[in-house]
PDB file of all heavy atoms in Angstrom:
ATOM      1  N   ARG M 637       3.853  10.292  -7.073  1.00  0.00           N
ATOM      2  CA  ARG M 637       4.761  10.648  -8.157  1.00  0.00           C
ATOM      3  C   ARG M 637       4.001  10.885  -9.457  1.00  0.00           C
ATOM      4  O   ARG M 637       4.365  11.745 -10.249  1.00  0.00           O
ATOM      5  CB  ARG M 637       5.816   9.558  -8.337  1.00  0.00           C
ATOM      6  CG  ARG M 637       6.820   9.526  -7.197  1.00  0.00           C
ATOM      7  CD  ARG M 637       8.058   8.765  -7.561  1.00  0.00           C
ATOM      8  NE  ARG M 637       9.059   8.920  -6.526  1.00  0.00           N
ATOM      9  CZ  ARG M 637      10.333   9.227  -6.761  1.00  0.00           C
ATOM     10  NH1 ARG M 637      10.727   9.444  -7.994  1.00  0.00           N
ATOM     11  NH2 ARG M 637      11.196   9.335  -5.768  1.00  0.00           N
ATOM     12  N   ARG M 745      15.175  11.355 -18.337  1.00  0.00           N
ATOM     13  CA  ARG M 745      14.491  11.360 -17.041  1.00  0.00           C
ATOM     14  C   ARG M 745      14.428   9.954 -16.459  1.00  0.00           C
ATOM     15  O   ARG M 745      14.602   9.754 -15.252  1.00  0.00           O
ATOM     16  CB  ARG M 745      13.084  11.914 -17.222  1.00  0.00           C
ATOM     17  CG  ARG M 745      12.286  12.117 -15.950  1.00  0.00           C
ATOM     18  CD  ARG M 745      12.886  13.229 -15.143  1.00  0.00           C
ATOM     19  NE  ARG M 745      13.566  12.745 -13.949  1.00  0.00           N
ATOM     20  CZ  ARG M 745      14.380  13.455 -13.213  1.00  0.00           C
ATOM     21  NH1 ARG M 745      14.653  14.694 -13.538  1.00  0.00           N
ATOM     22  NH2 ARG M 745      14.946  12.946 -12.142  1.00  0.00           N
ATOM     23  N   ALA M 746      14.205   8.950 -17.308  1.00  0.00           N
ATOM     24  CA  ALA M 746      14.149   7.571 -16.833  1.00  0.00           C
ATOM     25  C   ALA M 746      15.499   7.145 -16.262  1.00  0.00           C
ATOM     26  O   ALA M 746      15.569   6.546 -15.178  1.00  0.00           O
ATOM     27  CB  ALA M 746      13.731   6.635 -17.973  1.00  0.00           C
ATOM     28  N   LEU M 747      16.595   7.452 -16.971  1.00  0.00           N
ATOM     29  CA  LEU M 747      17.922   7.101 -16.476  1.00  0.00           C
ATOM     30  C   LEU M 747      18.258   7.857 -15.201  1.00  0.00           C
ATOM     31  O   LEU M 747      18.874   7.313 -14.280  1.00  0.00           O
ATOM     32  CB  LEU M 747      18.967   7.388 -17.555  1.00  0.00           C
ATOM     33  CG  LEU M 747      18.997   6.411 -18.734  1.00  0.00           C
ATOM     34  CD1 LEU M 747      19.885   6.951 -19.846  1.00  0.00           C
ATOM     35  CD2 LEU M 747      19.466   5.034 -18.284  1.00  0.00           C
ATOM     36  N   THR M 748      17.845   9.120 -15.133  1.00  0.00           N
ATOM     37  CA  THR M 748      18.088   9.912 -13.924  1.00  0.00           C
ATOM     38  C   THR M 748      17.348   9.314 -12.734  1.00  0.00           C
ATOM     39  O   THR M 748      17.878   9.266 -11.612  1.00  0.00           O
ATOM     40  CB  THR M 748      17.657  11.367 -14.151  1.00  0.00           C
ATOM     41  OG1 THR M 748      18.377  11.906 -15.261  1.00  0.00           O
ATOM     42  CG2 THR M 748      17.938  12.213 -12.927  1.00  0.00           C
ATOM     43  N   ASN M 749      16.110   8.851 -12.959  1.00  0.00           N
ATOM     44  CA  ASN M 749      15.361   8.188 -11.888  1.00  0.00           C
ATOM     45  C   ASN M 749      16.122   6.971 -11.352  1.00  0.00           C
ATOM     46  O   ASN M 749      16.202   6.748 -10.141  1.00  0.00           O
ATOM     47  CB  ASN M 749      13.988   7.745 -12.395  1.00  0.00           C
ATOM     48  CG  ASN M 749      12.986   8.870 -12.440  1.00  0.00           C
ATOM     49  OD1 ASN M 749      13.289  10.006 -12.091  1.00  0.00           O
ATOM     50  ND2 ASN M 749      11.784   8.580 -12.886  1.00  0.00           N
ATOM     51  N   LEU M 750      16.678   6.184 -12.280  1.00  0.00           N
ATOM     52  CA  LEU M 750      17.389   4.975 -11.871  1.00  0.00           C
ATOM     53  C   LEU M 750      18.670   5.327 -11.116  1.00  0.00           C
ATOM     54  O   LEU M 750      19.014   4.678 -10.121  1.00  0.00           O
ATOM     55  CB  LEU M 750      17.710   4.122 -13.098  1.00  0.00           C
ATOM     56  CG  LEU M 750      16.501   3.539 -13.830  1.00  0.00           C
ATOM     57  CD1 LEU M 750      16.952   2.765 -15.069  1.00  0.00           C
ATOM     58  CD2 LEU M 750      15.687   2.635 -12.916  1.00  0.00           C
ATOM     59  N   LEU M 751      19.382   6.355 -11.584  1.00  0.00           N
ATOM     60  CA  LEU M 751      20.585   6.788 -10.873  1.00  0.00           C
ATOM     61  C   LEU M 751      20.247   7.291  -9.475  1.00  0.00           C
ATOM     62  O   LEU M 751      20.957   7.000  -8.506  1.00  0.00           O
ATOM     63  CB  LEU M 751      21.292   7.889 -11.665  1.00  0.00           C
ATOM     64  CG  LEU M 751      22.092   7.442 -12.885  1.00  0.00           C
ATOM     65  CD1 LEU M 751      22.553   8.654 -13.692  1.00  0.00           C
ATOM     66  CD2 LEU M 751      23.284   6.593 -12.473  1.00  0.00           C
ATOM     67  N   ASP M 752      19.162   8.029  -9.379  1.00  0.00           N
ATOM     68  CA  ASP M 752      18.747   8.575  -8.095  1.00  0.00           C
ATOM     69  C   ASP M 752      18.414   7.449  -7.117  1.00  0.00           C
ATOM     70  O   ASP M 752      18.827   7.466  -5.953  1.00  0.00           O
ATOM     71  CB  ASP M 752      17.542   9.493  -8.297  1.00  0.00           C
ATOM     72  CG  ASP M 752      17.156  10.222  -7.016  1.00  0.00           C
ATOM     73  OD1 ASP M 752      17.913  11.115  -6.598  1.00  0.00           O
ATOM     74  OD2 ASP M 752      16.104   9.892  -6.438  1.00  0.00           O
ATOM     75  N   ASN M 753      17.672   6.458  -7.587  1.00  0.00           N
ATOM     76  CA  ASN M 753      17.319   5.320  -6.727  1.00  0.00           C
ATOM     77  C   ASN M 753      18.558   4.557  -6.275  1.00  0.00           C
ATOM     78  O   ASN M 753      18.703   4.212  -5.099  1.00  0.00           O
ATOM     79  CB  ASN M 753      16.367   4.376  -7.468  1.00  0.00           C
ATOM     80  CG  ASN M 753      14.927   4.810  -7.354  1.00  0.00           C
ATOM     81  OD1 ASN M 753      14.389   4.967  -6.278  1.00  0.00           O
ATOM     82  ND2 ASN M 753      14.298   5.033  -8.486  1.00  0.00           N
ATOM     83  N   GLY M 796       9.140   5.541  -9.077  1.00  0.00           N
ATOM     84  CA  GLY M 796       9.463   5.904 -10.452  1.00  0.00           C
ATOM     85  C   GLY M 796       9.511   4.737 -11.405  1.00  0.00           C
ATOM     86  O   GLY M 796       9.755   4.924 -12.599  1.00  0.00           O
ATOM     87  N   PHE M 799       7.097   4.880 -14.444  1.00  0.00           N
ATOM     88  CA  PHE M 799       7.532   5.804 -15.484  1.00  0.00           C
ATOM     89  C   PHE M 799       8.646   5.205 -16.333  1.00  0.00           C
ATOM     90  O   PHE M 799       8.628   5.286 -17.560  1.00  0.00           O
ATOM     91  CB  PHE M 799       7.993   7.117 -14.855  1.00  0.00           C
ATOM     92  CG  PHE M 799       8.556   8.096 -15.835  1.00  0.00           C
ATOM     93  CD1 PHE M 799       7.731   8.741 -16.743  1.00  0.00           C
ATOM     94  CD2 PHE M 799       9.917   8.371 -15.860  1.00  0.00           C
ATOM     95  CE1 PHE M 799       8.253   9.649 -17.666  1.00  0.00           C
ATOM     96  CE2 PHE M 799      10.439   9.278 -16.768  1.00  0.00           C
ATOM     97  CZ  PHE M 799       9.606   9.916 -17.669  1.00  0.00           C
ATOM     98  N   VAL M 800       9.632   4.566 -15.689  1.00  0.00           N
ATOM     99  CA  VAL M 800      10.746   3.960 -16.419  1.00  0.00           C
ATOM    100  C   VAL M 800      10.238   2.870 -17.360  1.00  0.00           C
ATOM    101  O   VAL M 800      10.638   2.792 -18.526  1.00  0.00           O
ATOM    102  CB  VAL M 800      11.790   3.388 -15.444  1.00  0.00           C
ATOM    103  CG1 VAL M 800      12.893   2.653 -16.203  1.00  0.00           C
ATOM    104  CG2 VAL M 800      12.395   4.509 -14.600  1.00  0.00           C
TER     105      VAL M 800
END
Side-chain angles (χ1 to χ4, degrees):
R637 289 197 172 228
R745 186 68 252 166
L747 286 169
T748 302
N749 280 0
L750 294 177
L751 284 171
D752 187 71
N753 275 303
F799 176 71
V800 175

